[in-house]
């Protein structure tokens, strides 16, 4: 029987969702797998992975959305700004998923974008259903919807036990960004 790709969801309040997805990238690049990561929330990518992604080329590709909006976003409310990014991200994701060029695609913060009402749950379900059978699809972000969880093969909820933020410790280079 032909092995099918997995649908993986990293959700929950605790830290580690994007980090876990990046862990898959590190592992898969070792086998020369092709991976694409797409951001759904503007500014959700921190500097570290943007810099190291260059070292993981050509296997790893990070799609930065919203460069073209830079000139106009200052005049818009943050919600509209995020909405534009999320809608564009859906379009690009669909193209990437259907291209058949990738082994793994990561939709970073997509669950959170649905929860914020920036994109519709149906759009995400449509993305999942349109994937080639062999493609592994990773969806990160808190508040993953029930229907998406139902479609997934692997769901991990990061549960916060402690976070340095609670002690007033600020985000740390290499750990948080
Ligand atoms: P990371 O990218 O570190 O794996 P994440 O993807 O699980 O985190 P996000 O919701 O994307 O979490 O949040 C991104 C940023 O917010 C990171 O800098 C992270 O350290 C911080 N963060 C994550 N969880 C918490 C939390 N429970 N309290 C405070 N800050 C958090
Ligand atoms: Mg994240």
């Amino acid at each position: 029987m032909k092995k099918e790709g997995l649908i993986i969801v990293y959700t929950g309040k605790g830290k580690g969702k994007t980090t876990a997805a990046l862990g898959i990238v590190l592992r898969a690049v070792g086998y020369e797998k092709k991976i694409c990561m797409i951001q759904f929330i503007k500014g959700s990518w921190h500097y570290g992975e943007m810099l190291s992604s260059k070292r993981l080329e050509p296997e790893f590709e990070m799609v930065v959305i919203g460069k073209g909006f830079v000139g106009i976003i200052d005049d818009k409310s943050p919600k509209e700004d995020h909405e534009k990014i999320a809608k564009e991200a859906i379009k690009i994701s669909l193209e990437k998923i259907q291209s058949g060029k990738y082994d793994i695609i990561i939709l970073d913060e997509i669950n959170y974008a649905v929860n914020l009402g920036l994109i519709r749950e149906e759009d995400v379900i449509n993305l999942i259903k349109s994937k080639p059978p062999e493609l592994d699809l990773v969806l990160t972000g808190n508040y993953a919807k029930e229907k998406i969880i139902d479609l997934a093969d692997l769901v991990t909820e990061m549960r916060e036990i402690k976070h340095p933020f609670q002690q007033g410790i600020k985000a740390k280079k290499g750990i948080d960004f």
Side-chain angles (χ1 to χ4, degrees):
M1 202 178 90
K2 201 172 169 195
K3 184 89 180 78
E4 301 229 326
L6 297 173
I7 297 161
I8 300 172
V9 173
Y10 293 128
T11 192
K13 183 174 185 280
K15 173 179 160 64
K17 302 172 288 292
T18 301
T19 309
L22 289 167
I24 291 178
V25 173
L26 184 64
R27 188 171 270 170
V29 166
Y31 296 108
E32 290 166 16
K33 288 188 182 287
K34 286 281 287 172
I35 309 132
C36 179
M37 185 157 167
I38 300 155
Q39 98 195 100
F40 276 75
I41 300 285
K42 186 192 165 292
S44 61
W45 283 348
H46 312 301
Y47 240 75
E49 56 260 45
M50 297 198 76
L51 298 172
S52 48
S53 68
K54 305 241 179 327
R55 298 203 196 180
L56 300 175
E57 284 174 1
E59 288 86 354
F60 183 40
E61 181 188 324
M62 253 170 115
V63 178
V64 179
I65 298 164
K67 275 186 178 164
F69 307 139
V70 167
I72 51 169
I73 51 178
D74 288 346
D75 310 319
K76 302 273 178 185
S77 73
K79 169 107 184 183
E80 284 171 322
D81 184 5
H82 284 297
E83 212 166 72
K84 255 186 198 148
I85 302 285
K87 292 231 159 77
E88 181 72 9
I90 284 281
K91 207 178 117 214
I92 293 172
S93 301
L94 197 62
E95 286 165 17
K96 297 281 184 190
I97 287 170
Q98 293 177 338
S99 73
K101 279 199 241 164
Y102 302 94
D103 298 297
I104 304 168
I105 293 184
I106 299 163
L107 309 175
D108 192 47
E109 309 295 352
I110 192 167
N111 299 324
Y112 196 50
V114 173
N115 188 257
L116 288 174
L118 303 174
I119 50 172
R120 294 177 314 144
E121 189 180 1
E122 292 71 51
D123 293 332
V124 181
I125 290 164
N126 181 37
L127 283 184
I128 294 172
K129 293 200 165 157
S130 70
K131 86 170 190 64
E134 327 72 46
L135 178 74
D136 292 310
L137 194 62
V138 183
L139 300 95
T140 87
N142 200 7
Y143 309 110
K145 297 283 182 198
E146 210 55 47
K147 278 188 200 158
I148 293 166
I149 288 174
D150 284 347
L151 287 169
D153 304 292
L154 190 167
V155 181
T156 298
E157 180 178 0
M158 271 61 181
R159 182 165 68 91
E160 182 182 282
I161 293 177
K162 278 186 170 185
H163 194 289
F165 186 73
Q166 297 162 340
Q167 299 175 55
I169 299 172
K170 292 211 174 97
K172 202 174 169 193
K173 195 181 207 171
I175 301 288
D176 294 298
F177 64 92

